[in-house]
């Protein structure tokens, strides 16, 4: 069902294109993706087999802008049409707000259309939805092919309730947008009926700031401390669980030198902690990578500074913090 | 099984983001996403600028949904934790309450144990916040109204005509 975020003033609705295999569901999304302005849509994501058959779903997010002060977004999904993929097909229906049933107009495909529509009703009922209560439009696709069923036949067989329908040729874009406009309107009309759009203006103060990313002002500030630590790789064997139980607040700055006994088998690793002074190289590294706790800048005086050894360094830090706390 | 619309209010989002900020700080993760099971992104924190978070949310929800079916087939009600290990970045996914998913993206600067511990703590905290959201949703239902049907329809049709047209 629709997601409404009053803080960001966003409403997000899910529209699913359902129908038998090869009826043109993915083609509909591809056409929409190709034709709508790039700033209003995201990337088209297809989870498909090597033969370009939908395996799980295709996904296209579309932002239609502000309606009643709310940034309104549609998430367009297709399902895998093949009978074999019913398990994944059912999953896509979760939380659906509107449905487009893409039927293949060819006479030989009529049975598949009927089977797929019955399957839709069954899958919806498993989620507790009623096919009669969810906005639904029909798209009779492939109208340009020979040997197709008449619209009357299709209507009689698939759409006895006379819901909106469109004759389409998805490969050429015929009626693709008409179908989408119709279902979008039905979905938003229902959202309005369900009173999801508020009458009153809701104050939003932090939304923009927060959406920009992490608020660095809440991050810990660097503490002046300097220590030279010598240890062995034997510490690597400590379990992460032990390390993670050390609350950060209780950590104390390292202020003395510690040199455990070295054995012949142990490879020594020197780590110099110098938090007060950050070199240019480290500053660049911090910019290039993302957030790292500012109180743990490590420069390596021995050993390779690959990821594995960096990870060891963090383990060592935690262990030493724990020791000093005691 | 059927659940109503997920509604998030400003005061809840502030609490949620505070919890997520703390999770990032404690676990030293790169970023955190909170997604509902239908694939809608609720909010995110951390360094997400380079990520397509909308697509990520949909895929995370899809991944979680398929894992839930796998769980059901092997006789488990739900796998509440998922972990994807990559060469550089890893994703830890936790179920929060009944309908939201917490995804933590982290790299080798921290450890899975650290992320797991703090994600569990954050998940419990978020669950408490969400139970408040649900209560308030029911209370707020009667307050929201739209006066003018015609204004809504015109506004909507204009927007749809602008965007869904065959002119490329």
């Amino acid at each position: 069902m629709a997601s409404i975020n009053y803080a960001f003033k966003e409403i997000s609705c899910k529209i699913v294109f359902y129908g038998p295999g090869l009826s043109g569901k993915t083609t509909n999304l591809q056409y929409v993706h190709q034709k709508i302005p790039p700033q209003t849509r995201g990337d088209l994501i297809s989870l498909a087999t090597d033969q370009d058959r939908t395996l799980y779903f295709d996904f296209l997010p579309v932002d239609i802008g502000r309606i009643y002060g709310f940034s309104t977004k549609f998430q367009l999904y297709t399902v895998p049409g093949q009978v074999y993929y019913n398990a994944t097909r059912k999953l896509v229906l979760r939380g659906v707000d509107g449905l487009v049933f893409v039927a293949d107009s060819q006479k030989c495909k009529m049975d598949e259309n009927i089977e797929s529509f019955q399957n839709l009703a069954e899958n919806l009922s498993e989620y507790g939805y009623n096919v009669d209560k969810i906005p639904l439009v029909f798209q009779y696709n492939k109208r340009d092919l020979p040997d197709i069923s008449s619209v009357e036949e299709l209507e009689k067989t698939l759409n006895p309730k006379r819901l909106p329908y469109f004759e389409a040729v998805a490969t050429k874009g015929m009626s693709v947008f008409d179908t989408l406009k119709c279902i979008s309107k039905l979905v938003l009309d229902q959202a309005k009926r369900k009173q999801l759009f508020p009458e009153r203006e809701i104050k939003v103060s932090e939304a923009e700031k927060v959406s920009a990313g992490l608020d660095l002002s809440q991050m810990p500030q660097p503490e002046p401390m300097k220590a030279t630590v010598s240890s062995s790789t034997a510490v690597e064997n400590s379990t992460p669980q032990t390390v993670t139980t050390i609350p950060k607040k209780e950590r104390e700055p390292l202020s003395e030198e510690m040199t455990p006994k070295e054995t012949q088998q142990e490879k020594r690793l020197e780590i110099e902690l110098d938090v007060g002074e950050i070199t240019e190289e480290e500053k660049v590294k911090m910019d290039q990578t993302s957030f790292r706790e500012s109180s743990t800048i490590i420069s390596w005086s021995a050993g390779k500074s690959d990821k594995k050894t960096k990870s060891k360094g963090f383990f060592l830090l935690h262990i030493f913090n724990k020791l000093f706390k005691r | 099984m059927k659940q109503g619309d997920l509604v998030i209010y400003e005061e809840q989002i502030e609490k949620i983001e505070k919890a997520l900020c703390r999770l990032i700080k404690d676990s030293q993760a790169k970023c955190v996403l909170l997604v509902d099971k239908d694939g809608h992104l609720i909010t995110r924190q951390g360094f997400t600028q380079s990520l397509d978070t909308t697509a990520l949310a949909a895929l995370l929800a899809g991944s979680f949904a398929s894992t839930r079916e796998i769980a059901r087939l092997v006789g488990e009600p739900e796998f509440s934790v998922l972990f994807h290990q990559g060469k550089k970045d890893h994703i830890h996914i936790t179920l929060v309450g009944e309908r939201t998913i917490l995804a933590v993206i982290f790299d080798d600067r921290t450890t899975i144990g650290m992320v797991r511990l703090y994600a569990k703590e954050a998940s419990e905290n978020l669950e408490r916040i969400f139970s408040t959201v649900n209560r308030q949703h029911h209370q707020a239902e009667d307050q929201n109204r739209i006066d003018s049907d015609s204004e809504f329809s015109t506004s909507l049709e204009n927007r749809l005509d602008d965007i869904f047209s065959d002119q490329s």
Side-chain angles (χ1 to χ4, degrees), chain B residues 67-102:
Chain B
T67 312
R68 193 175 56 243
E69 283 303 298
I70 295 169
R72 201 177 54 80
L73 290 173
V74 299
E76 274 287 323
E78 200 148 42
F79 291 134
S80 56
V81 174
L82 268 180
F83 175 57
H84 297 300
Q85 184 167 16
K87 278 184 183 171
K88 285 191 300 182
D89 293 332
H90 325 290
I91 303 185
H92 182 274
I93 307 168
T94 328
L95 186 64
V96 178
E98 286 182 1
R99 55 185 309 179
T100 41
I101 298 162
L102 175 71

Side-chain angles (χ1 to χ4, degrees), chain A residues 1-2 4-7 12 31 45 56 64 181 185 188 192 195 199 203 210 212 244 248 291, chain B residues 5-8 10 13 17 25 38 40 42 47 49 62 109 114 117 145 149 156-157 159 161 166:
Chain A
M1 292 289 118
I4 307 101
N5 194 325
Y6 284 108
S12 181
Y31 187 80
I45 299 205
Y56 197 167
I64 64 164
K181 265 190 243 180
K185 192 169 182 316
L188 290 178
K192 189 198 72 175
Q195 298 165 358
E199 179 191 9
K203 263 181 76 181
V210 164
T244 54
K248 269 194 189 165
F291 165 71
Chain B
D5 303 295
L6 180 68
V7 180
I8 310 285
E10 192 183 351
I13 209 86
E17 279 167 351
K25 205 163 78 171
D38 302 342
H40 305 295
I42 296 170
F47 288 83
Q49 286 90 339
R109 285 169 302 178
M114 189 95 119
L117 178 80
R145 293 283 184 277
D149 278 358
L156 173 57
E157 275 167 26
R159 288 299 308 163
D161 283 340
D166 287 303

Side-chain angles (χ1 to χ4, degrees), chain A residues 1-8 10 12-14 31-32 34-37 40 43 45 47 56-57 59 61-68 74-75 77 87 90-91 94-95 97 126-129 173 177 180-181 184-185 188-189 192 194-200 202-206 210-216 218-220 240-241 244-249 251 289-293 307 311 314-315 318, chain B residues 1-11 13-14 17-18 21-22 24-30 36-49 52 54-59 61-69 72 87-88 98-99 107-115 117-118 137 141-149 151-153 155-157 159-168:
Chain A
M1 292 289 118
S3 159
I4 307 101
N5 194 325
Y6 284 108
F8 298 146
E10 268 181 15
S12 181
C13 302
K14 182 173 182 177
Y31 187 80
V32 173
Q34 192 189 330
K35 290 290 179 183
I36 61 172
T40 62
D43 290 335
I45 299 205
L47 305 185
Y56 197 167
F57 57 76
F59 170 71
V62 179
D63 186 345
I64 64 164
R66 291 200 173 268
I67 302 217
Y68 252 67
F74 287 114
Q75 301 195 330
Y77 284 85
K90 191 171 70 185
L91 297 177
R94 187 192 165 93
D97 294 300
E126 286 196 33
Y127 284 114
Y129 305 142
F177 281 118
L180 191 52
K181 265 190 243 180
S184 307
K185 192 169 182 316
L188 290 178
D189 277 345
K192 189 198 72 175
K194 285 159 80 179
Q195 298 165 358
L196 299 183
F197 292 96
E199 179 191 9
R200 283 188 291 272
I202 301 208
K203 263 181 76 181
V204 177
S205 55
E206 297 294 311
V210 164
S211 65
L214 185 66
D215 186 357
L216 290 171
Q218 296 182 29
M219 294 302 162
Q241 284 77 10
T244 54
T245 52
I246 308 167
K248 269 194 189 165
K249 286 175 190 168
R251 289 182 202 163
T289 59
S290 50
F291 165 71
R292 67 195 282 181
E293 190 185 353
K307 282 165 207 137
S311 168
F314 277 102
F315 279 138
H318 292 302
Chain B
M1 191 92 181
K2 188 182 175 185
Q3 291 175 314
D5 303 295
L6 180 68
V7 180
I8 310 285
Y9 296 93
E10 192 183 351
E11 62 261 36
I13 209 86
E14 281 171 9
E17 279 167 351
K18 209 172 162 186
C21 256
R22 192 193 160 115
I24 290 184
K25 205 163 78 171
D26 289 344
S27 67
Q28 299 176 22
K30 285 173 79 174
D36 80 359
K37 275 188 181 174
D38 302 342
H40 305 295
L41 178 70
I42 296 170
T43 187
R44 73 264 201 224
Q45 284 292 305
F47 288 83
T48 56
Q49 286 90 339
D52 182 352
T54 311
L56 197 54
L59 292 170
S63 173
F64 207 89
S66 62
T67 312
R68 193 175 56 243
E69 283 303 298
R72 201 177 54 80
K87 278 184 183 171
K88 285 191 300 182
E98 286 182 1
R99 55 185 309 179
D107 57 18
D108 288 343
R109 285 169 302 178
T110 184
T111 61
I112 171 69
M114 189 95 119
V115 170
L117 178 80
Y118 287 112
H137 178 208
E141 271 177 351
D142 295 335
Q143 299 173 2
N144 300 328
R145 293 283 184 277
I146 286 179
D147 292 333
S148 163
D149 278 358
E151 193 189 331
F152 178 82
S153 297
S155 163
L156 173 57
E157 275 167 26
R159 288 299 308 163
L160 294 178
D161 283 340
D162 284 348
I163 292 169
F164 298 148
S165 72
D166 287 303
Q167 292 166 353
S168 54

